[in-house]
Amino acid sequence: MTLLALGINHKTAPVALREKVAFTPDSLVEALASLRKVDGVDESVIVSTCNRTELYVNTQHESATALLEWLSNFHHVEVNEIANNSYVLAAEDAVKHIMRVASGLDSLILGEPQILGQVKQAFGDAKHSGMINTEFDKLFQHTFSVAKRVRSETEIGANAVSVAYAAVQLAKHIFAELPKRSVLLVGAGETIELVAQHLKEQGVSCLAVANRTISRAEALAETLDASVFTLSQVPEHLKDFDIVISSTASQLPLIGKGMVEKALKQRRNMPMFLVDLAVPRDIEAQVNELGDAYLYTVDDLQHIVQKNLQNREQAALEAEKLIEKQAGDYMIWKQSQQSIDLVRQYRQKGMEQRDDVVEKALAQLTEGKDAETVLSEMAYKLTNTLLHPTTLALREAAMHDDPALSRWLGQALSLSDTTSDIKK
């Protein structure tokens, strides 16, 4: 059996093609059942996210042609379009790849943690569909363990690499007990949604959303259990918040120096942390002139992100070394399993040959043939039957002038021991 990985991701294909070959949760069950019928496929896992679609298959074939054709037929996409924008990895290369994917080393954002959960979900779906046997169970459990070690033994996930996450991490550094702080989110777009998600993950519960369109703010606030008000109400409520994070499409600043100065006086000069993620700016730059106001812009955060990305790249080098070692360990285990299977098959064949010779000998004895002659003939036939394949292997090694194979066969057959015993 050969492990194959066939994939399309953000590096190899445009979003238009990635959309065509993506699997929805509803179609995944059907896809796994369909993939089971492909000739030679024994085990399979399908990983499908917004940035990648990958098939991991344990198959009797060394070529991915059948997988390409299956993916083409299932999604009704030209096979050449997939072939020209995809990659195929086999054996140890495929093992390394799934470990890199689960560890976040192959993600659009280096080190992002969500992909591990997505791979675990894909494995669970495949197992539920009966597509997982011993080998894949070992591979994916080992992969999850490796991904966990990558996160715990390297700094791959320690530094923010998105401005939304960087904003929350910066707030965490400024306020020691972030969950106890009150946060005002100005805007209700995608960036603010990401900020809100990171805040909730940090345990922040006192949240408010201010937006020009109140219905949009309410939709976001519902998921956060947050209060809602309009942009015109911001001056009235600003004093109630320790942290203000803003990202709107406004062409003019929404929060001015005077507004913040008044809020600080009402707060009796308790510090206020403000993050402006908007371009053009939502918060006047002069706010930074106030003694108890700490204003950071998107440019400030970009510098942090760039530095952190460099740190992650260094951590990724350490992670690659770990994966290299762990992939090798898995391949050693796999080879040991194959040798166990070979030994089992060899012994089974030997016992079948023995039973066949004994059965014929017993039949001859029943017919009244001389027992000594029957035993002698049985021993001769059994020896010939068992030694014939080994003799051919030795002859083949000699013909190809392969001393290493000849030496290995000699050791395996204990020829040196036999020779010394004969001399004695």
Side-chain angles (χ1 to χ4, degrees):
M1 302 297 289
T2 301
L3 169 63
L4 291 179
L6 167 64
I8 285 177
N9 65 17
H10 57 282
K11 298 176 185 177
T12 67
V15 66
L17 178 57
R18 299 203 304 273
E19 288 174 340
K20 290 179 184 178
V21 297
F23 293 89
T24 65
D26 292 336
S27 69
L28 197 57
V29 175
E30 178 191 350
L32 286 166
S34 172
L35 192 52
R36 182 200 299 269
K37 299 175 183 176
V38 175
D39 179 50
V41 170
D42 183 54
E43 301 175 274
S44 64
V45 170
I46 299 175
V47 176
S48 186
T49 72
C50 57
N51 285 322
R52 75 179 62 247
T53 290
E54 294 181 333
L55 311 179
Y56 293 93
V57 174
N58 203 17
T59 174
Q60 296 173 12
H61 305 300
E62 296 184 359
S63 167
T65 302
L67 298 180
L68 279 167
E69 291 176 352
W70 175 83
L71 191 60
S72 168
N73 293 333
F74 190 89
H75 287 295
H76 308 292
V77 179
E78 286 292 331
V79 69
N80 286 340
E81 186 178 4
I82 297 175
N84 293 335
N85 293 276
S86 62
Y87 45 90
V88 176
L89 302 166
E92 189 168 357
D93 289 336
V95 174
K96 290 177 187 176
H97 183 72
I98 184 58
M99 290 181 178
R100 294 185 75 255
V101 168
S103 300
L105 300 186
D106 195 57
S107 297
L108 182 61
I109 298 176
L110 182 64
E112 60 94 2
Q114 288 82 9
I115 186 62
L116 177 57
Q118 292 166 329
V119 174
K120 284 184 174 180
Q121 181 64 51
F123 172 76
D125 292 337
K127 193 166 188 177
H128 184 72
S129 297
M131 294 302 292
I132 302 295
N133 295 325
T134 304
E135 193 166 317
F136 262 30
D137 188 68
K138 175 73 174 180
L139 170 60
F140 280 86
Q141 294 301 339
H142 191 50
T143 293
F144 301 148
S145 174
V146 170
K148 185 177 179 181
R149 286 186 60 186
V150 166
R151 301 205 75 78
S152 63
E153 296 178 20
T154 75
E155 296 293 313
I156 193 70
N159 304 295
V161 290
S162 72
V163 290
Y165 188 50
V168 175
Q169 289 299 302
L170 198 55
K172 188 178 177 181
H173 284 301
I174 291 174
F175 296 103
E177 297 180 321
L178 191 59
K180 294 183 179 180
R181 300 297 173 173
S182 55
V183 182
L184 170 61
L185 302 175
V186 182
E190 184 179 344
T191 300
I192 289 296
E193 286 182 9
L194 287 172
V195 170
Q197 179 184 334
H198 294 312
L199 287 168
K200 293 297 287 186
E201 289 172 356
Q202 293 296 327
V204 176
S205 57
C206 184
L207 287 163
V209 180
N211 195 51
R212 193 178 308 279
T213 306
I214 201 72
S215 60
R216 183 73 182 270
E218 287 173 342
L220 176 58
E222 186 177 353
T223 66
L224 305 172
D225 193 24
S227 55
V228 174
F229 45 85
T230 63
L231 293 180
S232 61
Q233 293 175 296
V234 169
E236 175 189 347
H237 294 283
L238 192 60
K239 67 182 187 301
D240 300 324
F241 297 96
D242 303 306
I243 300 168
V244 179
I245 301 177
S246 183
S247 179
T248 75
S250 175
Q251 296 301 304
L252 297 171
L254 302 173
I255 300 173
K257 179 181 177 182
M259 187 191 305
V260 176
E261 188 172 23
K262 181 179 178 181
L264 287 171
K265 287 180 181 178
Q266 293 171 319
R267 290 169 58 82
R268 296 182 180 180
N269 294 319
M270 287 177 57
M272 183 182 291
F273 175 60
L274 303 99
V275 182
D276 189 352
L277 300 179
V279 179
R281 298 182 184 188
D282 282 342
I283 304 173
E284 285 184 349
Q286 291 78 7
V287 167
N288 221 14
E289 298 171 2
L290 300 172
D292 295 306
Y294 301 89
L295 172 63
Y296 288 82
T297 68
V298 69
D299 286 343
D300 297 324
L301 295 181
Q302 285 288 8
H303 291 311
I304 295 173
V305 166
Q306 187 59 39
K307 182 178 178 181
N308 289 346
L309 187 57
Q310 291 172 357
N311 291 338
R312 282 201 178 189
E313 288 170 351
Q314 181 59 42
L317 296 177
E318 299 172 23
E320 295 284 6
K321 293 178 183 177
L322 176 60
I323 288 172
E324 184 81 20
K325 170 68 166 58
Q326 294 301 314
D329 288 348
Y330 171 78
M331 294 305 294
I332 290 172
W333 172 84
K334 183 177 178 179
Q335 288 164 6
S336 71
Q337 293 301 111
Q338 291 174 339
S339 67
I340 289 171
D341 291 341
L342 283 172
V343 169
R344 187 183 297 115
Q345 292 170 20
Y346 178 71
R347 291 181 64 86
Q348 180 66 31
K349 185 176 181 180
M351 287 187 286
E352 289 173 358
Q353 291 170 331
R354 176 204 63 191
D355 293 344
D356 183 55
V357 172
V358 169
E359 184 181 347
K360 290 178 180 177
L362 288 173
Q364 288 177 328
L365 289 173
T366 303
E367 293 171 358
K369 287 191 175 182
D370 177 63
E372 187 174 345
T373 303
V374 170
L375 285 173
S376 178
E377 185 180 338
M378 181 185 74
Y380 175 79
K381 287 183 178 179
L382 186 58
T383 302
N384 260 0
T385 301
L386 295 177
L387 293 184
H388 181 65
T390 308
T391 304
L392 289 178
L394 284 166
R395 187 179 299 162
E396 189 76 14
M399 288 176 61
H400 287 82
D401 193 21
D402 191 340
L405 179 57
S406 298
R407 185 166 55 253
W408 180 86
L409 284 169
Q411 291 172 347
L413 298 171
S414 302
L415 294 182
S416 56
D417 292 342
T418 303
T419 303
S420 61
D421 289 342
I422 291 172
K423 288 180 179 178
K424 291 177 182 178

